[in-house]
Amino acid sequence: MKDQVYEQLKNILKNTHSHYYHYPVAAIVECSDETRWPGVNIETSSPQAGICAERNALFSALANGYQKKDIKRIYLLNETEEKITPCFICRQALVDYCNKEVEIVSYNRQGEKEIHTVGELTPYGFGEDNLK
């Protein structure tokens, strides 16, 4: 039986804009009501002007009214043998807009997956509580 989310990620990956750094990534943010928000990385010639797939998907969910408490899981795929994890800029967004228990499910191109939580990926995260 094929993994439905993996198949969705493969389709979304076709929409990436990664012609500068050639590192396509697809993401899906799943909310507690099972709504899924897709995202891909959009690269530009100036790296800071682009956006990673994880933040693209997360910010779409937030822009459509979902809140931190609603984010349940984030799925990732790229075209390598590796199971990727979010970059540090994305990890900061995850610390700010996801609970530590949110799962990050990372697939490689063969469909093998690995699961971590936001808390596992950011054991010493800097967030809202540090600003008080």
Side-chain angles (χ1 to χ4, degrees):
M1 181 163 137
K2 291 193 177 188
D3 184 324
Q4 179 187 19
V5 173
Y6 173 69
E7 294 301 319
Q8 287 180 316
L9 286 165
K10 283 186 358 185
N11 285 329
I12 294 166
L13 193 62
K14 297 172 188 172
N15 298 328
T16 187
H17 293 270
S18 56
H19 53 277
Y20 290 101
Y21 306 105
H22 311 289
Y23 196 78
V25 178
I28 295 173
V29 167
E30 184 177 68
C31 296
S32 55
D33 67 357
E34 306 302 319
T35 301
R36 292 182 178 159
W37 297 94
V40 296
N41 61 316
I42 309 291
E43 298 175 353
T44 67
S45 58
S46 174
Q48 292 86 354
I51 189 165
C52 296
E54 298 92 316
R55 286 180 289 133
N56 193 338
L58 178 61
F59 294 167
S60 291
L62 296 170
N64 280 279
Y66 289 89
Q67 298 175 18
K68 184 175 189 170
K69 66 179 177 55
D70 301 316
I71 308 301
K72 175 178 161 185
R73 192 171 289 117
I74 300 171
Y75 301 95
L76 302 174
L77 172 68
N78 78 345
E79 294 181 332
T80 70
E81 305 278 334
E82 312 248 339
K83 297 170 203 90
I84 61 170
T85 58
C87 75
F88 281 89
I89 295 172
C90 287
R91 289 180 195 208
Q92 184 62 57
L94 296 175
V95 165
D96 289 337
Y97 293 106
C98 296
N99 291 315
K100 290 183 178 191
E101 300 79 28
V102 169
E103 292 181 334
I104 309 296
V105 182
S106 180
Y107 292 89
N108 65 7
R109 70 175 169 208
Q110 289 82 18
E112 301 164 332
K113 65 183 173 182
E114 189 172 280
I115 301 172
H116 299 282
T117 64
V118 170
E120 290 170 346
L121 294 177
T122 60
Y124 303 104
F126 181 89
E128 184 177 351
D129 291 341
N130 300 101
L131 298 174
K132 293 179 181 176

